[in-house]
């Protein structure tokens, strides 16, 4: 084991390794006086001097109107481009964001970003409604909890990996020259937005260490690299304050010296006033003033109607809540971005030549296939893969996702669809027979009382479902797809369309479940008499108790109460599992494709409740494996899944995200060995949700979530992924600010290994991560080839946030340097002795912010005031805050604390030593201050508070503490 002693270095982290790769092309950021920047600045000054106040205010809304007298075209923020150009017609669809990150390849993701940026620019000559050059991507919310409904939109649970991938993607979209932007991407959603449960009403508690060490780095990377041009604020609150009015001037705008265009999330401004869900301000004028003062420039609200925003801003000006200088500041940011985009140039700037021909180009199709293949993760392989195409004569490709591709809310429109079945069939060619079955039941629904069957429409547009037929013909047959959590969808055999609610009736008229309010969901409920009632499970909260299907007198199916529900005899006309088993039994190999539908059970507004496969899909896998032991299972979904049984029994498991138009060809490339799998997981795959805290709990340190702190047994560790070859790691050497390790391909195939570097600090004043990703490199090696991989390890990367002095610190300690194939597969180790700082005992004579505690119970982090500051509030009796290792010297004799208490009555604020129920050193009376924002000083005389002690503040219920001192 290599050991080295170094001195702690400056905390300025050098740009090297994957992060430097992600930043490639942004070198212009170092030349702020480039001609492009000067010209943009002149244009901004010119326009700002000519715009009237009303014209300036009109530019604050998402839909900025044209101002012909100044030659300004209309401009819109918000083209969706999470994994391709979206919502504007057919365009190249790349893998979902989590799939992009699963490549662990910033070079590739930069190429993807460049392609997406080109396609966004490709519409600039047509400028369709909804198009603009301000791009709402990437999403950098950390995937700290696999149950988050929007898991598909993020990259990783790790902030460093998220920063690398988001910087690469944003850098590609923006073009690499901050003075001449291809597009102006922004990162979203700032900040700590990881639950869909009452998302505009819940507050994410971020203690300073979680904020500084975990959350902020994910957002900061692309901004500080000048790859992204702003942030979108999130719907939720953080520490009691809505993100829409969280002070970006004190955080995000300090990360770069360039102008940023910051925007609100859709309709978020309307959450703030008394009429909204947050009720943070009395009026919209007050809210909009606070938004602008917080550093947000553009209001995304009221669709295309900018008048409510303009009216509110004018009211705020009239009442002195804003000045014209505040308006100018926001408009200056907006104009700056538009100028750098070439929006004011006659030729559109350096990218003005791009046109629609770049969309879904042959080069982009090829890139989509390559990216989809590189994103695939081989979870398990007992030698079943790769398949030998030459030896196979009959292959069964079965499962509900075998012959379909699903898109998600932020997907573009697929220009074509290569399904797994088609990709595998095309790869095998005429030399092998491919059989298939979706493995789902085909049923008919017969009203038990009337004997009438439910019938669907046979035309392309379907028809209203009715109870009319006396026999089960083709128009009375439905395929039932199970998605877990009791949810099914019904596809009519009559026209192959999915059934959903429209205008109070049910129609078979959709290609797949879709829409903001997904209307194609049902939950069958068995009755005591053996019949079934169908509960509508779409946006059912709208309909009260009337959520069951019933037939009107004319036979048309509508909604009714449970008492009114039609009771059906469910006739199974085709057993899906039996059909799939028959196909599998007769095949040389069976490939089962299971997974999710992105609009069901996990999406924006809907967190997952079950982390397993759908029960019907699990049963299909078990039955097919029993029929054919040469079974490969492909899981196609957007999140970690508890594949406990499958991991134990299935010979080979493959995971892919919903990977876009080239999914099938990419999957075939990997299954048949044309591409050696090199994807790696970007999240921990837990064995169950039982070991996870509430999704509303954001303190990963205390509640031990993600690979950094989770101590339990996992199914697959962060960074996991197998290859068709094997790799050997040599002894690592510690260099100055780097680690070098030889890696050898010891197998018979060429392959890519993701070499991952982690550190662990042995001794610390505070709880440290079990492991922390510091760098990685993806290297492709021929059989027998050895390459020395050098991974950056600047000493600043060893720092953590010291709450006692509110700054970064590298502690004096021994650090384990760990190199391996995943966080759970460490292959080589070294020791690094760092002659850093020893954090001194706390000096509580100085005013200490209450939020800078070391541990806590029974408290919430809250807003000290509406504009800024964080306080700590006691939620109930028994709450406490720990301030560890305080040097009280010869004795602290007086407590001074700034507190507020909104509720009536009096309680105490106690100072205790050594434990929450330890010796009482003193107590102060806290009376109602009448408002949560009205603080007053309270004091107490202290006794026995001497020496080095752990100090506990024990506040009574309802007390808010801003800061305190012991003197």
């Amino acid at each position: 084991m290599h050991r080295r002693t170094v001195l702690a270095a400056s905390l300025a982290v050098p740009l090297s390794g994957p992060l430097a790769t992600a930043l490639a092309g942004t070198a212009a950021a170092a030349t702020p006086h480039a001609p492009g920047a000067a010209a943009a600045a002149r244009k901004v000054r010119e326009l700002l001097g000519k715009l009237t106040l009303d014209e300036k205010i009109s530019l604050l809304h998402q839909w900025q109107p044209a101002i012909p007298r100044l030659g300004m075209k209309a401009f819109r923020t918000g083209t969706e481009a999470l994994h391709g150009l979206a919502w504007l017609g057919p365009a190249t669809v790349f893998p979902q964001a989590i799939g992009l990150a699963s490549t662990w390849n910033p070079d590739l993701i930069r190429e993807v970003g460049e392609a997406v940026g080109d396609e966004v620019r490709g519409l600039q000559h047509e400028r369709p409604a909804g198009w603009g050059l301000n791009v709402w991507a990437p999403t950098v919310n950390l995937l700290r909890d696999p149950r988050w409904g929007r898991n598909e939109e993020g990259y990783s649970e790790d902030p460093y990996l998220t920063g690398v991938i988001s910087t690469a993607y944003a850098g590609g979209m923006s073009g690499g020259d901050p003075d001449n932007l291809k597009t102006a991407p922004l990162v979203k959603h700032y900040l700590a937005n990881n639950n869909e449960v009452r998302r505009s009403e819940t507050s994410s508690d971020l203690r300073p260490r979680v904020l500084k060490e975990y959350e902020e780095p994910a957002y900061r990377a692309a901004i500080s690299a000048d790859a992204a041009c702003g942030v979108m604020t999130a719907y939720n609150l953080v520490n009691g304050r809505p993100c829409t009015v969280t002070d970006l001037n004190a955080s995000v705008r300090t990360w770069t010296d360039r102008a940023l265009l910051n925007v609100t999330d859709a309709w978020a401004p309307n959450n703030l006033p008394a009429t909204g869900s947050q009720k943070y301000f009395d009026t919209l004028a007050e809210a909009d003033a606070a938004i602008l003062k917080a550093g947000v420039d553009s209001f995304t609200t009221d669709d295309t109607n900018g008048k409510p925003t303009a009216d509110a801003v004018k009211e705020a000006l009239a009442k002195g809540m804003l000045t014209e200088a505040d308006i100018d500041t926001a408009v200056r940011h907006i104009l700056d971005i538009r100028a750098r985009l070439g929006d004011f140039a006659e030729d559109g700037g350096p990218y003005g030549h791009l046109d629609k021909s770049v969309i879904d180009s042959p080069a982009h199709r090829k890139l989509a296939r390559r990216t989809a293949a590189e994103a695939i993760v081989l979870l398990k392989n007992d030698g079943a893969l790769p398949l030998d195409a030459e030896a196979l004569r009959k292959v069964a490709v079965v499962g509900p996702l075998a012959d379909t591709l699903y898109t998600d809310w932020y997907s573009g429109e697929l220009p074509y669809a290569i399904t797994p079945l088609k990709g595998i069939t095309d790869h095998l060619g005429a030399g092998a027979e491919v059989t298939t079955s979706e493995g789902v039941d085909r049923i008919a629904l017969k009203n038990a009382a009337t004997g009438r069957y439910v019938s669907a429409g046979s035309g392309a547009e379907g028809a209203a479902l009715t109870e009319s037929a006396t026999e089960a013909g083709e128009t009375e047959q439905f395929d039932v797809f199970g998605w877990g959590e009791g949810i099914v969808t019904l596809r009519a055999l009559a026209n192959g369309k999915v059934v959903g609610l429209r205008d109070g009736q049910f129609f078979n008229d959709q290609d797949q479940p879709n829409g903001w309010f997904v209307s194609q969901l049902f939950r069958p409920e068995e009755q005591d008499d053996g019949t079934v009632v169908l509960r509508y499970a779409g946006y059912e909260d709208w309909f009260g108790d009337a959520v069951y299907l019933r037939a009107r007198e004319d036979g048309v199916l509508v909604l009714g109460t449970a008492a009114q529900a039609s009771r059906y005899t469910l006739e199974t006309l085709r057993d899906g599992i039996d059909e799939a088993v028959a196909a599998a039994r007769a095949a040389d190999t069976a490939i089962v494709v299971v997974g999710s539908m992105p609009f069901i059970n996990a999406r924006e507004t809907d967190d997952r409740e079950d982390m397993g496969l759908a029960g019907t899909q699990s049963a299909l896998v078990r039955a097919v494996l029993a029929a054919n032991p040469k079974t490969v299972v492909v899981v196609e979904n957007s999140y970690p899944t508890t594949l406990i049984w499958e991991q134990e029994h299935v010979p080979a498991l493959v995971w892919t995200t919903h990977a876009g138009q080239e999914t099938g060809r990419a999957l075939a490339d990997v299954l048949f060995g044309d591409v050696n799998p090199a994807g790696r997981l970007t999240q921990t795959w837990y064995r169950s949700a039982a070991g996870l805290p509430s999704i509303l709990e954001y303190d990963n340190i205390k509640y031990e979530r993600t690979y950094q702190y989770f101590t339990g047994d996992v199914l697959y560790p962060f960074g996991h992924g197998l290859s068709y070859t094997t790799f050997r790691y040599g002894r690592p050497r510690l260099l100055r600010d780097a680690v070098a390790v030889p890696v050898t391909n010891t197998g018979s195939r060429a392959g890519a290994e993701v070499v991952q570097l982690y550190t662990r600090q042995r001794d610390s004043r505070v709880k440290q991560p079990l492991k922390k990703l510091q760098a990685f490199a993806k290297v492709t090696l021929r059989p027998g080839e050895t390459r020395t991989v050098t991974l950056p390890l600047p000493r600043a990367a060893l720092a953590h946030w010291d709450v006692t002095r509110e700054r970064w610190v590298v502690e004096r300690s021994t650090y384990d340097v760990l190199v391996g194939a995943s966080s759970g597969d460490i292959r080589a180790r070294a020791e690094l002795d760092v002659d850093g700082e020893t954090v001194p005992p706390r000096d509580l004579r100085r005013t200490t912010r209450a939020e800078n505690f070391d541990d806590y119970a029974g408290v919430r982090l809250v807003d000290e005031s509406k504009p800024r500051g964080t306080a700590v509030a006691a939620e109930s009796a028994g709450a406490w805050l720990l301030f560890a290792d305080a040097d009280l010297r010869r004795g602290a004799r007086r407590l001074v604390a700034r507190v507020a208490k909104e509720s009536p009555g009096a309680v105490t604020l106690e100072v205790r030593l050594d434990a929450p129920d330890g010796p009482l050193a003193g107590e102060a009376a806290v009376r109602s201050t009448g408002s949560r924002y009205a603080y007053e000083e309270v004091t107490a005389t202290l006794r026995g508070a001497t020496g080095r002690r752990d100090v506990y503040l024990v506040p009574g219920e309802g007390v808010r503490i801003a800061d305190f001192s012991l003197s």
Side-chain angles (χ1 to χ4, degrees):
M1 180 180 291
H2 194 203
R3 187 182 188 101
R4 191 161 182 260
T5 302
V6 300
L7 296 175
S10 163
L11 297 188
V13 181
L15 299 178
S16 53
L19 189 55
T21 300
L23 303 185
T26 61
T31 56
H33 302 296
R42 285 194 301 272
K43 189 64 177 178
V44 170
R45 287 194 299 271
E46 174 193 340
L47 289 173
L48 198 58
K50 294 179 178 179
L51 288 163
T52 68
L53 179 57
D54 282 350
E55 288 170 339
K56 293 175 189 174
I57 292 172
S58 75
L59 299 178
L60 300 178
H61 190 262
Q62 178 188 18
W63 294 78
Q64 301 174 26
I67 303 176
R69 72 180 189 85
L70 296 178
M72 294 175 63
K73 301 175 183 177
F75 185 86
R76 177 184 182 270
T77 66
T79 296
E80 298 289 358
L82 183 61
H83 52 109
L85 172 65
W87 301 5
L88 294 169
T92 309
V93 179
F94 293 95
Q96 291 176 311
I98 188 174
L100 297 179
S102 297
T103 67
W104 290 63
N105 187 341
D107 286 334
L108 175 62
I109 302 311
R110 185 177 184 86
E111 287 185 52
V112 172
E114 290 170 350
V116 174
D118 284 350
E119 296 201 6
V120 172
R121 272 281 180 176
L123 295 176
Q124 64 188 337
H125 301 295
E126 298 181 6
R127 301 173 70 89
W131 171 86
L133 290 174
N134 173 234
V135 179
W136 286 357
T139 295
V140 301
N141 296 96
L142 292 163
L143 305 182
R144 65 184 182 94
D145 193 306
R147 296 167 294 188
W148 185 38
R150 304 180 73 171
N151 199 83
E152 68 200 29
E153 297 183 36
Y155 292 126
S156 172
E157 69 183 36
D158 181 76
Y160 174 77
L161 178 58
T162 294
V164 170
I165 299 299
S166 62
T167 301
Y169 188 62
M173 286 194 295
S174 63
D177 179 359
D179 296 321
N180 295 283
L181 297 169
K182 182 189 296 184
T183 69
L186 57 76
V187 293
K188 60 180 189 176
H189 312 80
Y190 187 84
L191 176 71
N193 174 203
N194 281 123
N195 62 274
E196 301 304 296
V197 180
R198 306 188 319 279
R199 62 180 179 169
S200 71
E201 301 169 46
T202 56
S203 181
S204 308
D205 285 15
L206 296 185
R207 59 196 281 196
R209 281 193 66 200
V210 177
L211 173 66
K212 296 293 186 181
E213 297 174 23
Y214 188 69
E215 285 286 343
E216 276 193 349
Y219 299 87
R220 184 169 186 159
I223 297 290
S224 63
D226 291 324
C229 301
V231 302
M232 172 189 281
T233 56
Y235 286 119
N236 58 291
L237 299 87
V238 167
N239 297 348
R241 181 179 297 105
C243 288
T244 313
V245 290
T246 292
D247 188 3
L248 303 180
N249 299 309
S251 55
V252 174
R253 291 198 187 277
T254 69
W255 301 340
T256 177
D257 60 359
R258 292 184 180 273
L260 299 175
L261 170 53
N262 298 326
V263 309
T264 74
D265 208 336
W267 293 85
N270 291 359
N271 292 335
L272 291 167
T275 54
S277 59
Q278 293 171 336
K279 306 184 190 311
Y280 202 68
F281 299 101
D282 292 333
T283 66
L284 184 61
E286 187 181 359
D288 284 5
I291 290 171
L292 286 172
K293 284 184 172 293
V296 176
D297 308 300
S298 179
F299 294 79
T300 312
T301 190
D302 302 305
D303 291 328
T304 61
N305 183 12
K307 187 175 186 303
T309 295
D311 289 347
V313 170
K314 289 175 183 178
E315 181 182 342
L317 283 166
K319 293 183 177 180
M321 301 173 189
L322 288 172
T323 67
E324 188 168 354
D326 295 320
I327 309 300
D328 286 352
T329 296
V331 172
R332 186 179 296 109
H333 298 151
I334 293 166
L335 295 176
D336 185 285
I337 295 296
R338 291 181 61 172
R340 288 191 275 150
L341 284 166
D343 193 51
F344 305 132
E346 289 187 11
D347 61 356
Y351 301 102
H353 65 284
L354 292 174
D355 60 25
K356 201 170 182 178
S357 65
V358 301
I359 297 176
D360 188 37
S361 67
H364 291 178
R365 292 183 174 193
K366 184 178 180 181
L367 181 62
R369 179 175 180 175
R370 176 187 164 202
T371 307
E374 198 161 336
I376 290 172
V377 180
L378 181 60
L379 298 173
K380 176 188 177 181
N381 188 22
D382 284 349
L385 293 175
L387 299 173
D388 185 349
E390 298 297 324
L392 294 174
R393 292 294 172 263
K394 194 169 188 179
V395 176
V397 183
V398 301
L401 279 78
D403 196 25
T404 190
L405 294 184
Y406 287 124
T407 55
D408 58 63
W409 178 249
Y410 290 104
S411 288
E413 182 182 334
L414 293 171
Y416 58 90
I418 307 299
T419 69
L421 175 62
K422 179 168 177 52
I424 292 166
T425 301
D426 289 351
H427 192 282
L428 287 170
E433 177 186 356
V434 178
T435 59
T436 189
S437 166
E438 290 175 305
V440 300
D441 289 347
R442 180 164 292 165
I443 66 166
L445 294 166
K446 180 180 180 180
N447 189 306
T450 67
R452 299 282 182 177
Y453 287 89
V454 175
S455 299
S458 57
E461 301 303 317
L465 268 59
T466 60
E467 291 181 6
S468 55
T470 57
E471 295 183 356
E474 282 196 0
T475 55
E476 287 70 51
Q477 298 182 36
F478 300 88
D479 295 329
V480 184
F481 291 79
W483 300 110
E485 299 184 25
I487 298 295
V488 304
T489 53
L490 302 174
R491 186 183 64 196
L493 180 63
N495 65 353
K497 297 293 184 71
V498 179
V499 175
L501 180 66
R502 174 163 58 84
D503 300 327
Q505 300 177 24
F506 292 89
F507 293 82
N508 56 310
D509 61 354
Q510 296 297 310
D511 291 327
Q512 69 173 52
N514 61 81
W516 182 255
F517 299 105
V518 185
S519 68
Q520 295 85 19
L521 311 181
F522 302 91
R523 184 176 285 113
E525 295 180 357
E526 283 195 31
Q527 305 301 295
D528 293 339
D529 61 0
T531 62
V532 170
V533 299
L534 289 179
R535 182 186 180 106
Y536 174 65
Y539 41 106
E540 54 189 308
D541 291 346
W542 288 20
F543 303 106
D545 295 333
V547 292
Y548 289 90
L549 274 65
R550 69 175 180 89
R552 293 189 319 213
E553 289 184 5
D554 61 359
V556 174
L557 292 187
V558 294
L559 288 174
T561 64
Q564 297 171 318
S566 294
R567 294 193 173 212
Y568 297 107
T569 300
L570 192 154
E571 298 180 1
T572 301
L573 307 177
R574 181 193 69 190
D575 187 302
I577 289 181
D578 285 351
E579 184 182 72
V581 164
R585 186 177 289 119
D588 300 325
T589 291
I591 301 168
V592 187
V593 189
V594 293
S596 71
M597 199 284 138
F599 282 84
I600 301 175
N601 293 339
R603 58 156 296 174
E604 188 168 359
T605 74
D606 187 13
D607 291 320
R608 271 199 302 169
E609 297 177 7
D610 186 343
M611 290 171 57
L613 279 179
T616 53
Q617 296 185 20
S618 181
L620 173 66
V621 169
R622 295 176 189 230
V624 169
L625 180 62
N628 188 334
K630 295 182 178 179
T631 290
V632 174
V633 172
V634 177
V635 180
E636 184 179 337
N637 65 19
S638 313
Y639 35 68
T641 308
T642 51
L643 304 172
I644 308 301
W645 187 92
E646 291 78 8
Q647 170 62 25
E648 292 177 357
H649 296 92
V650 176
L653 283 171
V654 171
W655 176 80
T656 176
T657 187
H658 295 281
Q661 63 209 53
E662 288 286 346
T663 298
R665 273 195 276 257
L667 183 60
D669 289 341
V670 169
L671 293 178
F672 292 100
D674 291 4
V675 170
N676 195 339
R680 300 293 185 265
L681 298 179
T682 66
Q683 289 177 273
T684 301
W685 285 39
Y686 300 97
R687 300 186 71 85
S688 78
L692 296 177
S694 164
I695 196 172
L696 300 176
E697 177 51 70
Y698 278 73
D699 189 346
N700 291 343
I701 300 174
K702 184 177 180 69
Y703 292 99
E704 298 183 342
R705 187 170 14 210
T706 80
Y707 81 95
Q708 291 189 354
Y709 291 98
F710 187 73
T711 57
D713 185 28
V714 303
L715 179 62
Y716 304 118
F718 171 82
H720 172 75
L722 305 178
S723 170
Y724 295 151
T725 190
T726 55
F727 299 94
R728 183 181 66 240
Y729 286 65
R731 181 186 178 196
R733 291 185 300 113
L734 299 181
L735 310 174
R736 179 179 178 83
D737 289 338
V739 178
V741 59
V743 180
T744 303
N745 183 342
T746 54
S748 58
R749 290 174 176 265
E753 174 72 322
V754 179
V755 183
Q756 300 165 41
L757 171 65
Y758 299 86
T759 59
R760 182 176 70 87
Q761 184 175 341
R762 292 187 185 176
D763 302 299
S764 177
R765 180 190 176 278
V766 296
K767 183 178 183 179
Q768 289 286 348
L770 302 169
K771 295 185 184 75
K772 180 182 177 185
L773 180 69
Q774 299 286 12
F776 63 88
K778 194 166 195 175
V779 292
T780 300
L781 300 174
R782 299 183 304 275
E785 181 183 3
T786 297
R787 185 179 306 170
T788 296
V789 179
T790 301
L791 300 163
L793 185 60
R795 297 303 164 257
L798 302 175
H800 72 270
W801 186 255
D802 176 22
V803 294
T804 72
R805 296 172 294 174
E806 297 184 293
R807 65 175 178 84
W808 293 99
V809 61
V810 175
E811 287 183 292
R812 179 186 181 90
S813 182
T814 296
Y815 295 78
D816 292 318
V817 178
L818 311 169
V819 185
S822 79
S823 63
D825 184 10
I826 300 303
R827 306 286 187 86
R829 301 168 182 265
E831 293 179 356
L832 180 65
D833 292 326
V834 176
D835 188 15
E837 295 183 65
T838 298
V839 177
R842 280 186 181 269
D843 183 359
L844 296 182
R845 294 175 302 173
R846 298 181 303 196
T847 299
T848 298
R849 299 289 304 173
E851 66 179 311
N852 286 323
F853 49 71
D854 290 296
D855 200 1
Y856 60 97
V859 300
R860 294 296 306 270
L861 293 168
V862 295
D863 50 338
E864 180 182 354
S865 69
K866 287 187 177 181
R868 61 189 58 84
T870 297
V872 182
E875 285 198 299
S876 59
W880 52 263
L881 299 173
L882 166 62
F883 299 86
D885 189 27
D887 187 355
L888 304 177
R889 295 176 170 79
R890 296 183 179 180
R893 302 185 184 280
R894 187 168 184 260
L895 161 73
V896 178
R898 243 180 1 108
V899 300
K901 184 174 183 290
E902 187 170 35
S903 57
V907 293
T908 60
L909 171 60
E910 298 177 347
V911 179
R912 291 187 176 268
L913 304 176
D914 307 328
D917 58 354
L920 178 64
E923 60 182 354
V926 180
R927 298 175 177 82
S928 174
T929 61
S931 166
R932 67 185 63 185
Y933 303 122
Y935 287 83
E936 62 181 27
E937 283 192 355
V938 297
T939 62
T941 300
L942 303 180
R943 300 171 300 278
T946 61
R948 287 179 67 166
R949 310 286 287 272
D950 288 345
V951 173
Y952 288 80
L953 295 187
V954 183
E957 184 176 357
V959 174
R960 288 182 167 215
I961 312 171
D963 53 54
F964 73 100
S965 63
L966 305 182
S967 58

